[in-house]
Amino acid sequence: MTDLQPARGTHDLIGEDQRRFHRVVETARRVAATYGFDEWMTPIFEDTRVFARTLGETSDVVMKEMYSFDDRGGDSVTLRPEGTAGVCRALVSNGLTQSLPQKVFYAGPMFRYERPQKGRYRQFHQIGTELIGPAEPLADAEVIACGWNILQALGVAADTVLELNTLGDKDSRQAYRDALVAYFTDHRANLSDDSLTRLERNPMRILDSKDESDRRIVAGAPTIAPYLTDAARTFYDKLQEHLTRFQVPFRENPRIVRGLDYYGHTAFEFVTSRLGAQGTVMAGGRYDGLVAEMGGPATPAVGWAAGIERLSMLMDQAPAPPAPVAVVPIGEAAEAAAIGILQSLRAAGIRAEMAYRGNLRRRMERANRIGARAAIIIGDDDIAAGLAQVKNLASGTQEAIPFSDLPSRLT
């Protein structure tokens, strides 16, 4: 069994990788809390309809990438490919549509069956925020500002650019779709098979095509700007004003789209050039129709999700593990006393370790090997005096400290 490896598209998080991962989640959780977001945890698998209904029956995710299966009771369940649908389902299931606004933060694994590559896995992890209830552009700006502050706190904001677009309101999108259908129909002979299907069902999704022939055609496609209603234009202008007040820099990108009907107005992506093809590290927008898709009332909402693995890769340095304190007993009686000292240090939040066996030299060698900042050396005479010899392993200095003072002196 020694040849067993992680399943394709999965990876172990150990050592530096885990410390990077932990830093992203804890930083995002801390910053989101300052904006008033509470953390929710939804199930890793849901009724398949939660995603098939909300992601679109003809989307690549639903058709090609979802991990769906029938359980032993014959029910179709799916490992979640993204976080927003589960949050909206939870909002409706728990009767929270009458208690708005709800500001939600989440973090956890997602699953998509796609070709693994740098920064893309079949089991990957995301952080995300959802602001459910407000319809004003100020809500969109605040959600984006929260994401920007998280990137700043991680030290990766300088490597990212916020790209912004509007999808307009329903009337804007309908007029824009008509224009896209007319444009792409004129070029249908050169469209890929996938884009021909999208032309019939959802022409805006052609703008997302990765096919090279499609990309050349998309380059000449109309943008939504000429088709915006006055109300949609006002919303977009207000959003940009608010972002400027939040001191969030941005550039407009009219090619950012979302293909499903419940998306509208704001669409945005934080992108980087440091990760090759996987350039989007955080993306989101307004989805005022999604809660209704779950059987709830029409409810405005806006949010974003970010890939933890991609953010981890952008961090220049991994956080160093906290340097422990090594407890080094000399003799059996000292070992019994050392256990009490270990626990008093741990109760004070200090990382403390003790080798299970070995003489003084071996235990000191282990203290150096684990990167300990100090060694607490205890012998029979020390027990009688109630003192421990504390050696600073960086400077080599040593002093006697009463057992009861060790936690406060080493914090």
Side-chain angles (χ1 to χ4, degrees):
M1 301 292 286
T2 56
D3 60 344
L4 287 176
Q5 297 294 320
R8 186 166 187 247
T10 67
H11 62 130
D12 300 312
L13 291 168
I14 297 172
E16 178 180 319
D17 289 339
Q18 172 58 21
R19 292 195 298 275
R20 286 176 179 270
F21 184 97
H22 182 76
R23 170 66 64 84
V24 171
V25 174
E26 287 304 305
T27 299
R29 181 177 285 127
R30 173 178 56 80
V31 174
T34 68
Y35 277 76
F37 288 90
D38 291 325
E39 187 164 3
W40 289 14
M41 296 183 69
T42 61
I44 287 177
F45 64 89
E46 298 265 8
D47 185 313
T48 296
R49 291 173 296 177
V50 168
F51 305 112
R53 180 186 300 174
T54 59
L55 296 177
E57 299 281 359
T58 61
S59 71
D60 285 347
V61 173
V62 171
M63 295 180 68
K64 303 175 183 178
E65 298 173 5
M66 291 204 318
Y67 280 92
S68 299
F69 55 93
D70 290 341
D71 65 14
R72 292 183 178 181
D75 296 320
S76 179
V77 296
T78 296
L79 299 179
R80 62 184 182 196
E82 55 87 46
T84 303
V87 168
C88 290
R89 192 273 312 147
L91 181 88
V92 175
S93 299
N94 290 279
L96 296 174
T97 57
Q98 301 303 311
S99 303
L100 300 177
Q102 293 287 337
K103 302 178 83 169
V104 181
F105 170 82
Y106 65 84
M110 312 293 165
F111 304 83
R112 293 189 186 187
Y113 189 87
E114 54 186 351
R115 185 170 64 86
Q117 52 187 287
K118 180 181 178 181
R120 175 186 285 177
Y121 300 92
R122 291 178 174 176
Q123 177 181 315
F124 58 102
H125 301 80
Q126 288 185 336
I127 51 173
T129 62
E130 315 292 353
L131 176 46
I132 305 171
E136 296 79 11
L138 179 56
D140 305 50
E142 188 173 38
V143 163
I144 294 171
C146 178
W148 174 245
N149 288 162
I150 290 170
L151 298 179
Q152 288 178 310
L154 289 171
V156 303
D159 295 311
T160 64
V161 175
L162 170 61
E163 296 190 339
L164 187 68
N165 192 27
T166 177
L167 306 177
D169 52 19
K170 185 175 181 180
D171 290 342
S172 305
R173 289 191 299 279
Q174 186 57 59
Y176 184 43
R177 284 181 178 138
D178 292 343
L180 288 177
V181 168
Y183 174 80
F184 287 123
T185 298
D186 288 342
H187 295 82
R188 65 179 300 135
N190 296 310
L191 289 174
S192 66
D193 289 342
D194 280 347
S195 288
L196 287 173
T197 300
R198 291 168 177 168
L199 179 60
E200 301 299 324
R201 296 176 178 269
N202 202 331
M204 287 180 70
R205 295 197 60 236
I206 299 176
L207 301 174
D208 269 340
S209 175
K210 302 300 185 290
D211 181 271
E212 285 302 318
S213 177
D214 288 345
R215 299 303 305 163
R216 288 191 290 271
I217 297 170
V218 165
T223 66
I224 197 171
Y227 305 96
L228 293 176
T229 63
D230 290 342
R233 169 55 64 186
T234 298
F235 188 103
Y236 190 42
D237 289 344
K238 277 290 184 185
L239 169 62
Q240 295 179 67
E241 290 174 14
H242 291 319
L243 287 175
T244 300
R245 295 186 181 110
F246 276 113
Q247 298 183 330
V248 181
F250 63 90
R251 69 185 181 201
E252 294 184 76
N253 180 354
R255 296 306 182 199
I256 296 176
V257 295
R258 303 286 185 264
L260 298 171
D261 285 342
Y262 56 77
Y263 285 109
H265 290 297
T266 309
F268 66 92
E269 297 178 359
F270 284 94
V271 299
T272 183
S273 59
R274 284 187 51 194
L275 299 179
Q278 305 307 311
T280 301
V281 296
M282 181 183 289
R286 178 162 282 279
Y287 52 92
D288 289 350
L290 182 52
V291 174
E293 290 280 344
M294 293 293 178
T299 307
V302 59
W304 55 256
I308 298 175
E309 282 85 357
R310 295 182 191 179
L311 290 173
S312 297
M313 292 164 63
L314 281 180
M315 293 166 56
D316 288 331
Q317 283 188 312
V325 171
V327 179
V328 181
I330 305 171
E332 192 170 319
E335 189 169 273
I339 292 172
I341 291 173
L342 274 174
Q343 294 305 88
S344 69
L345 294 172
R346 290 165 176 165
I350 298 169
R351 181 170 178 167
E353 298 189 46
M354 181 177 75
Y356 298 124
R357 62 183 175 184
N359 57 23
L360 174 62
R361 180 180 63 82
R362 287 191 174 182
R363 291 183 190 241
M364 290 300 292
E365 286 175 349
R366 183 177 185 277
N368 285 307
R369 190 165 62 250
I370 65 175
R373 56 189 171 93
I376 300 175
I377 304 168
I378 312 165
D380 291 340
D381 292 342
D382 299 306
I383 296 172
L387 297 172
Q389 305 302 315
V390 179
K391 183 173 184 178
N392 184 314
L393 296 182
S395 66
T397 58
Q398 183 169 311
E399 64 176 318
I401 298 177
F403 289 171
S404 60
D405 291 349
L406 287 170
S408 61
R409 293 287 298 275
L410 289 167
T411 298

